[in-house]
Amino acid sequence: MKWTPALSLALLPIAAIHGPAIAGPRINLTVEQAQQRLFPGQALTRHSFTLSDAQRAQMQSASSVREPFRTERVWRSAKGDWFILDDVVGKHEMITYALAINANGTIKAIEIVTYMESYGYEVAEASWRAQFTGKTASATLKLNQDIKNISGATLSCKHLTDGVKRLMVMHDLALKGH
Amino acid sequence: MFSSARHLIACALLLSCVATAQAGEGSFGWIYTLDLQPKGTMEFEQRLQLNRSQAQGKYDLWQARTEVEYGVSENFQLSAYLNTSSVSAWRNYPDGSTAGWLVPSSAGTDRYNRSRVDGVSLEAIWRLTNPVTDPLGIGFYLETTTGAVKDELEGRLLLQSNFMDDKLVLAANLHFAIEKVKFDKLEIGHESMMDLLAGTSYRFAPNWTAGVEYRFHNDFEGYAFNTQTQRAHFIGPNIHYATKDWWVTAAWRMQPALGKCWSTGTVECSGGYVWDSHSRHEVIFKFGMPL
């Protein structure tokens, strides 16, 4: 077996030098940093609860998200607001995001906690995240319906939107009123 | 002089080499998906394929494609390729001759080794529906190739459906090509090809996908699919690893003894295998990175 180096392979070192130097950035907040962004100056207490199989099935049915939710990632403020940490499938890695829900059941804000993909960092921009603010569990929360897509970040936009829908349904089923 | 059979063999060999490149980040070895470059972004991709083992003797065909992709709009991508190759053959055909894709008729029964720049290609992909947001993703692909080895026009219908949070991908390509084979100056071939490629890929862990892909390959004499000369099947696994800064894919496919040849193509079949540009085993390695 013999391979004579071809002209095309000469371009490899150029790409190797050039590529990583301008590859996309990464977002990697700690949970504490995300909590302070969404609830500045407030103390949050971890909330222990469980989800029944029927509740999980309802969450999946409403959102189509299949990744299991980890119930130990829910915190509550003294005012009755909620901070929920969750993962959704990204292009390569899992995307971690935080959802803040007001005591009255409306979305306060979302924050991108961990994002390490080649493209799609626009999902962390305030203008895209602001679309969720004020929505409730009864909102459609569907990409290209009440949530606008970002060109080049479709998969991230879709999975984050579905993830928020799942958490709002979970809030309605298991957190509201506690 | 090329016999007519040799002429057809060469043409068929050429045609069988076209099912190679892939758009965007390629989780498959040979199947195109509808994962296009975002608008205004570029990606570098290098692929290297080895076709090894024919009827007897030696046949190693290396084919390299160096590509730059550019996202023109959300649903339209352009790519440019530089195609190179290296072939090493000796008495690899059923009749004991040294033949096959990129081996000229003048090789006779001698050893033949040659590396060269084959040519350049331009490719366009237009995505009509996106499998991330639509039940069925549909796209059209057009590629034109020119150079010392062949002039070719390829078209593909790209189909893709995603399931399970987009972790499971089913993809298929209906692939047509017409080409003028020029690597043997004594015989210029006019051929056409129709392939169906289908496969599945599953993301079994963050960064990792694996799957299987199949190729149903048909060669014809003439530009208008006039007379079928060969039919072959290929199947094998793929594995893909990707991070934000680079990705790699490796795939292998084998040719089961289910092939068939007709007319003048029969001279390059033996034991249910179709040779020409094909082999018992084909391996591809691809590397890509955003620019």
Side-chain angles (χ1 to χ4, degrees):
Chain A
M1 195 159 48
K2 174 187 172 185
W3 167 249
T4 302
L7 176 61
S8 62
L9 297 180
L11 297 175
L12 262 178
I14 298 172
I17 294 167
H18 188 52
I22 59 170
R26 65 172 61 197
I27 297 168
N28 196 12
L29 301 179
T30 64
V31 175
E32 291 72 24
Q33 286 173 323
Q35 289 176 337
Q36 284 308 302
R37 286 193 182 189
L38 293 170
F39 295 98
Q42 294 187 46
L44 300 174
T45 306
R46 194 183 296 268
H47 177 75
S48 296
F49 74 113
T50 57
L51 290 168
S52 67
D53 289 344
Q55 288 172 321
R56 288 185 181 276
Q58 277 185 268
M59 291 163 59
Q60 181 176 329
S61 174
S63 65
S64 79
V65 177
R66 302 173 64 94
E67 292 293 312
F69 179 75
R70 294 158 55 187
T71 55
E72 71 274 18
R73 302 171 93 187
V74 175
W75 288 259
R76 192 167 181 268
S77 77
K79 297 178 183 176
D81 300 334
W82 299 93
F83 175 94
I84 309 172
L85 202 65
D86 191 20
D87 296 328
V88 291
V89 173
K91 180 71 182 296
H92 306 130
E93 312 268 0
M94 299 303 288
I95 302 170
T96 304
Y97 70 103
L99 178 68
I101 304 174
N102 293 311
N104 66 3
T106 60
I107 293 176
K108 175 182 171 70
I110 71 166
E111 188 71 42
I112 307 302
V113 178
T114 305
Y115 193 94
M116 291 183 287
E117 303 292 343
S118 305
Y119 307 109
Y121 285 80
E122 298 89 341
V123 295
E125 291 179 359
S127 59
W128 190 78
R129 291 184 289 116
Q131 297 179 90
F132 294 91
T133 303
K135 295 192 182 302
T136 65
S138 61
T140 305
L141 284 169
K142 199 75 178 173
L143 191 66
N144 291 329
Q145 293 185 28
D146 56 343
I147 301 295
K148 291 180 181 174
N149 188 26
I150 300 171
S151 173
T154 301
L155 188 140
S156 299
C157 289
K158 175 194 168 188
H159 290 179
L160 283 166
T161 302
D162 290 345
V164 170
K165 177 67 178 182
R166 176 171 78 155
L167 296 189
M168 292 305 289
V169 170
M170 181 184 75
H171 173 270
D172 207 40
L173 292 172
L175 301 179
K176 187 171 63 178
H178 284 79
Chain B
M1 282 289 289
F2 240 160
S3 67
S4 59
R6 285 285 181 83
H7 165 82
L8 289 172
I9 289 167
C11 296
L13 285 170
L14 171 63
L15 290 170
S16 65
C17 289
V18 300
T20 49
Q22 177 164 350
E25 181 183 315
S27 54
F28 290 93
W30 289 276
I31 298 173
Y32 273 74
T33 65
L34 290 165
D35 180 14
L36 305 188
Q37 284 299 113
K39 181 182 178 181
T41 67
M42 298 178 70
E43 183 169 281
F44 169 87
E45 181 178 324
Q46 179 65 54
R47 55 179 294 140
L48 186 61
Q49 177 173 340
L50 171 64
N51 288 10
R52 172 167 243 206
S53 181
Q54 290 196 335
Q56 58 182 319
K58 177 186 180 182
Y59 184 77
D60 285 342
L61 171 63
W62 292 89
Q63 293 171 293
R65 300 194 85 189
T66 304
E67 177 192 10
V68 175
E69 298 178 349
Y70 177 70
V72 179
S73 69
E74 180 180 2
N75 294 307
F76 187 68
Q77 173 182 291
L78 289 175
S79 304
Y81 296 86
L82 178 65
N83 308 315
T84 59
S85 67
S86 182
V87 64
S88 179
W90 183 59
R91 296 184 177 177
N92 49 300
Y93 257 37
D95 63 358
S97 62
T98 302
W101 179 241
L102 298 184
V103 179
S105 56
S106 58
T109 57
D110 296 338
R111 291 184 186 276
Y112 183 80
N113 299 286
R114 179 167 181 182
S115 298
R116 69 175 124 197
V117 175
D118 293 350
V120 295
S121 304
L122 290 174
E123 169 199 288
I125 298 177
W126 177 35
R127 184 172 58 198
L128 279 71
T129 58
N130 190 331
V132 175
T133 53
D134 299 298
L136 178 64
I138 302 171
F140 292 111
Y141 153 110
L142 191 67
E143 180 177 331
T144 180
T145 296
T146 188
V149 168
K150 63 178 179 179
D151 296 329
E152 179 183 64
L153 181 65
E154 291 178 66
R156 291 187 188 222
L157 171 65
L158 311 180
L159 303 172
Q160 180 181 341
S161 282
N162 294 0
F163 304 91
M164 301 172 66
D165 294 349
D166 297 298
K167 292 165 72 174
L168 176 65
V169 172
L170 303 182
N173 297 170
L174 188 58
H175 183 195
F176 301 92
I178 56 173
E179 55 193 3
K180 180 180 180 181
V181 181
K182 304 191 295 185
F183 71 83
D184 192 321
K185 301 304 178 191
L186 298 177
E187 291 286 349
I188 302 297
H190 304 90
E191 297 291 330
S192 45
M193 183 198 78
M194 180 172 62
D195 275 15
L196 172 67
L197 298 96
T200 183
S201 178
Y202 180 69
R203 183 167 137 180
F204 62 92
N207 307 104
W208 288 94
T209 66
V212 63
E213 49 196 291
Y214 164 75
R215 178 188 185 193
F216 177 50
H217 170 64
N218 294 276
D219 274 338
F220 299 83
E221 183 182 354
Y223 285 151
F225 307 92
N226 308 61
T227 304
Q228 183 160 13
T229 53
Q230 296 175 351
R231 173 179 295 163
H233 304 262
F234 301 86
I235 190 166
N238 59 55
I239 190 163
H240 173 73
Y241 179 82
T243 72
K244 62 189 278 293
D245 295 330
W246 55 272
W247 58 265
V248 292
T249 300
W252 162 71
R253 63 187 183 188
M254 54 85 69
Q255 181 184 177
L258 300 171
K260 195 170 181 182
C261 294
W262 295 270
S263 184
T264 50
T266 53
V267 297
E268 53 191 356
C269 270
S270 63
Y273 299 104
V274 177
W275 304 121
D276 64 44
S277 62
H278 311 299
S279 53
R280 290 285 302 275
H281 304 283
E282 300 181 359
V283 179
I284 191 165
F285 175 80
K286 304 195 299 189
F287 169 81
M289 60 168 54
L291 295 175

Coordinates of all heavy atoms in Angstrom, one line a residue, chain B residues 51-89:
Chain B
N51 N -9.8 2.3 -1.8 CA -10.5 1.1 -2.4 C -9.4 0.0 -2.5 O -8.4 0.2 -3.3 CB -11.1 1.4 -3.7 CG -12.3 2.3 -3.6 OD1 -12.6 2.8 -2.5 ND2 -13.0 2.4 -4.7
R52 N -9.6 -1.1 -1.9 CA -8.5 -2.1 -1.9 C -9.1 -3.5 -2.1 O -10.2 -3.9 -1.6 CB -7.8 -2.1 -0.5 CG -6.8 -3.2 -0.3 CD -6.0 -3.0 0.9 NE -4.6 -2.9 0.5 CZ -3.6 -3.1 1.3 NH1 -3.8 -3.5 2.5 NH2 -2.4 -3.1 0.8
S53 N -8.4 -4.3 -2.9 CA -8.6 -5.7 -3.1 C -9.7 -5.9 -4.2 O -10.8 -5.7 -4.1 CB -9.1 -6.4 -1.8 OG -9.3 -7.8 -2.1
Q54 N -9.2 -6.4 -5.4 CA -10.1 -6.8 -6.5 C -10.0 -8.3 -6.7 O -9.7 -9.1 -5.8 CB -9.8 -6.0 -7.7 CG -10.2 -4.5 -7.6 CD -10.3 -3.8 -8.9 OE1 -9.6 -4.1 -9.8 NE2 -11.0 -2.7 -8.9
A55 N -10.1 -8.8 -7.9 CA -10.2 -10.2 -8.2 C -9.0 -11.0 -7.8 O -9.1 -12.1 -7.3 CB -10.5 -10.4 -9.7
Q56 N -7.8 -10.4 -8.0 CA -6.5 -11.0 -7.7 C -5.5 -10.0 -7.8 O -5.7 -8.8 -8.0 CB -6.3 -12.2 -8.7 CG -6.3 -11.7 -10.1 CD -6.0 -12.9 -11.1 OE1 -5.2 -13.8 -10.8 NE2 -6.8 -12.9 -12.2
G57 N -4.2 -10.4 -7.6 CA -3.1 -9.4 -7.7 C -3.2 -8.3 -6.7 O -3.6 -8.5 -5.5
K58 N -3.0 -7.1 -7.2 CA -3.0 -5.9 -6.3 C -3.8 -4.8 -7.0 O -3.7 -4.5 -8.1 CB -1.6 -5.4 -6.1 CG -1.5 -4.2 -5.2 CD -0.1 -3.7 -5.1 CE 0.0 -2.4 -4.3 NZ 1.3 -1.8 -4.2
Y59 N -4.6 -4.2 -6.2 CA -5.3 -2.9 -6.6 C -5.5 -2.0 -5.4 O -6.4 -2.4 -4.5 CB -6.6 -3.2 -7.3 CG -7.3 -2.0 -7.9 CD1 -6.8 -1.4 -9.0 CD2 -8.3 -1.4 -7.2 CE1 -7.4 -0.2 -9.6 CE2 -8.9 -0.2 -7.7 CZ -8.4 0.4 -8.9 OH -9.0 1.5 -9.4
D60 N -4.8 -0.9 -5.3 CA -5.0 0.1 -4.2 C -5.3 1.4 -4.9 O -4.4 1.9 -5.6 CB -3.8 0.2 -3.4 CG -3.6 -1.0 -2.4 OD1 -4.6 -1.7 -2.2 OD2 -2.5 -1.1 -1.9
L61 N -6.5 1.9 -4.7 CA -6.8 3.2 -5.2 C -7.1 4.2 -4.1 O -8.0 4.0 -3.3 CB -8.1 3.1 -6.1 CG -8.7 4.4 -6.6 CD1 -7.8 5.2 -7.5 CD2 -10.1 4.1 -7.3
W62 N -6.3 5.2 -4.0 CA -6.4 6.3 -3.0 C -7.1 7.5 -3.7 O -6.6 7.9 -4.8 CB -5.1 6.7 -2.4 CG -4.4 5.7 -1.6 CD1 -3.5 4.8 -2.0 CD2 -4.5 5.6 -0.1 NE1 -3.1 4.1 -0.9 CE2 -3.7 4.5 0.3 CE3 -5.3 6.3 0.8 CZ2 -3.5 4.2 1.6 CZ3 -5.1 5.9 2.2 CH2 -4.3 4.8 2.5
Q63 N -8.1 8.0 -3.1 CA -8.7 9.2 -3.7 C -8.8 10.3 -2.6 O -9.4 10.0 -1.5 CB -10.1 8.9 -4.3 CG -10.0 8.0 -5.5 CD -11.4 7.5 -5.9 OE1 -12.0 6.8 -5.2 NE2 -11.8 8.0 -7.1
A64 N -8.3 11.5 -2.9 CA -8.4 12.5 -1.9 C -9.2 13.7 -2.4 O -9.1 14.0 -3.6 CB -7.0 13.0 -1.5
R65 N -10.0 14.3 -1.6 CA -10.8 15.5 -2.0 C -10.6 16.6 -0.9 O -10.8 16.3 0.3 CB -12.3 15.2 -2.2 CG -12.6 14.2 -3.2 CD -14.0 14.2 -3.6 NE -14.3 15.2 -4.6 CZ -15.5 15.5 -5.0 NH1 -16.6 15.0 -4.5 NH2 -15.7 16.4 -6.0
T66 N -10.1 17.7 -1.3 CA -9.9 18.8 -0.4 C -11.0 19.8 -0.7 O -11.1 20.3 -1.9 CB -8.5 19.4 -0.6 OG1 -7.6 18.4 -0.4 CG2 -8.3 20.6 0.4
E67 N -11.8 20.2 0.3 CA -13.0 21.0 0.0 C -13.0 22.2 0.9 O -12.6 22.2 2.1 CB -14.2 20.1 0.3 CG -15.5 20.9 0.1 CD -16.7 20.1 0.7 OE1 -16.5 19.0 1.3 OE2 -17.8 20.5 0.5
V68 N -13.6 23.3 0.4 CA -14.0 24.5 1.2 C -15.5 24.7 0.9 O -15.9 24.8 -0.2 CB -13.2 25.7 0.9 CG1 -13.7 26.9 1.6 CG2 -11.7 25.5 1.2
E69 N -16.3 24.7 2.0 CA -17.7 25.0 1.9 C -18.0 26.4 2.4 O -17.4 26.9 3.4 CB -18.5 24.0 2.8 CG -18.3 22.5 2.4 CD -19.0 21.6 3.3 OE1 -19.5 22.0 4.4 OE2 -19.1 20.4 3.0
Y70 N -19.0 27.0 1.8 CA -19.4 28.3 2.2 C -21.0 28.4 2.3 O -21.6 28.0 1.3 CB -18.9 29.4 1.2 CG -19.3 30.8 1.6 CD1 -18.8 31.4 2.7 CD2 -20.2 31.5 0.8 CE1 -19.2 32.7 3.0 CE2 -20.6 32.8 1.1 CZ -20.1 33.4 2.2 OH -20.5 34.6 2.5
G71 N -21.5 28.9 3.4 CA -22.9 29.1 3.5 C -23.4 30.4 2.9 O -23.1 31.5 3.4
V72 N -24.0 30.3 1.7 CA -24.4 31.6 1.0 C -25.6 32.2 1.7 O -25.7 33.4 1.9 CB -24.7 31.3 -0.5 CG1 -25.2 32.5 -1.2 CG2 -23.5 30.7 -1.1
S73 N -26.6 31.3 2.0 CA -27.7 31.7 2.8 C -28.1 30.6 3.7 O -27.4 29.6 3.8 CB -28.9 32.0 1.8 OG -29.4 30.9 1.2
E74 N -29.2 30.8 4.4 CA -29.6 29.7 5.4 C -29.8 28.4 4.7 O -29.5 27.3 5.3 CB -30.9 30.1 6.1 CG -31.4 29.1 7.1 CD -32.6 29.5 7.8 OE1 -33.2 30.6 7.5 OE2 -33.1 28.8 8.7
N75 N -30.3 28.4 3.5 CA -30.6 27.1 2.8 C -29.8 26.9 1.5 O -30.3 26.1 0.7 CB -32.1 27.1 2.5 CG -32.9 27.0 3.8 OD1 -32.7 26.2 4.7 ND2 -33.8 27.9 4.0
F76 N -28.7 27.6 1.3 CA -28.0 27.4 0.1 C -26.5 27.4 0.4 O -26.0 28.3 1.0 CB -28.3 28.5 -0.9 CG -27.7 28.3 -2.3 CD1 -28.1 27.2 -3.1 CD2 -26.7 29.1 -2.7 CE1 -27.5 27.0 -4.3 CE2 -26.1 29.0 -4.0 CZ -26.6 27.9 -4.8
Q77 N -25.8 26.4 -0.1 CA -24.4 26.2 0.2 C -23.6 26.0 -1.1 O -24.0 25.2 -1.9 CB -24.2 25.0 1.2 CG -22.7 24.6 1.4 CD -22.7 23.4 2.3 OE1 -23.0 23.5 3.5 NE2 -22.2 22.3 1.8
L78 N -22.4 26.6 -1.2 CA -21.5 26.3 -2.3 C -20.2 25.7 -1.8 O -19.8 26.0 -0.7 CB -21.2 27.6 -3.0 CG -22.3 28.3 -3.9 CD1 -21.9 29.6 -4.4 CD2 -22.7 27.4 -5.0
S79 N -19.6 24.8 -2.6 CA -18.4 24.2 -2.2 C -17.5 24.1 -3.4 O -17.9 24.0 -4.6 CB -18.6 22.8 -1.7 OG -19.5 22.8 -0.6
A80 N -16.2 24.1 -3.2 CA -15.2 23.9 -4.2 C -14.2 22.8 -3.8 O -13.9 22.7 -2.6 CB -14.4 25.2 -4.5
Y81 N -13.9 21.9 -4.7 CA -13.0 20.8 -4.4 C -11.8 20.7 -5.3 O -11.8 21.1 -6.5 CB -13.7 19.5 -4.7 CG -14.9 19.1 -3.9 CD1 -16.2 19.6 -4.2 CD2 -14.9 18.3 -2.7 CE1 -17.3 19.3 -3.5 CE2 -16.0 18.0 -2.0 CZ -17.2 18.5 -2.4 OH -18.3 18.2 -1.7
L82 N -10.7 20.2 -4.7 CA -9.5 19.8 -5.5 C -9.4 18.3 -5.3 O -9.4 17.8 -4.2 CB -8.3 20.5 -4.9 CG -7.0 20.1 -5.6 CD1 -7.0 20.5 -7.1 CD2 -5.7 20.7 -4.9
N83 N -9.4 17.6 -6.4 CA -9.5 16.1 -6.4 C -8.1 15.6 -6.8 O -7.6 15.9 -7.9 CB -10.6 15.6 -7.4 CG -11.9 16.3 -7.1 OD1 -12.3 16.4 -6.0 ND2 -12.6 16.7 -8.2
T84 N -7.6 14.7 -6.0 CA -6.3 14.0 -6.3 C -6.4 12.5 -6.1 O -7.4 12.0 -5.5 CB -5.2 14.6 -5.5 OG1 -5.5 14.3 -4.1 CG2 -5.0 16.1 -5.7
S85 N -5.5 11.8 -6.7 CA -5.6 10.3 -6.6 C -4.2 9.7 -6.7 O -3.2 10.3 -7.2 CB -6.5 9.7 -7.6 OG -5.9 9.9 -8.9
S86 N -4.1 8.4 -6.2 CA -2.9 7.6 -6.4 C -3.4 6.2 -6.6 O -4.2 5.7 -5.8 CB -2.0 7.7 -5.2 OG -0.9 7.0 -5.4
V87 N -2.9 5.5 -7.7 CA -3.4 4.1 -7.9 C -2.1 3.2 -8.1 O -1.1 3.6 -8.6 CB -4.3 4.0 -9.2 CG1 -3.5 4.4 -10.4 CG2 -4.9 2.7 -9.3
S88 N -2.2 2.0 -7.5 CA -1.2 1.0 -7.6 C -1.9 -0.3 -8.0 O -2.7 -0.8 -7.2 CB -0.4 0.9 -6.3 OG 0.6 0.0 -6.4
A89 N -1.6 -0.8 -9.2 CA -2.3 -2.0 -9.6 C -1.3 -3.0 -10.3 O -0.3 -2.6 -10.9 CB -3.4 -1.6 -10.6

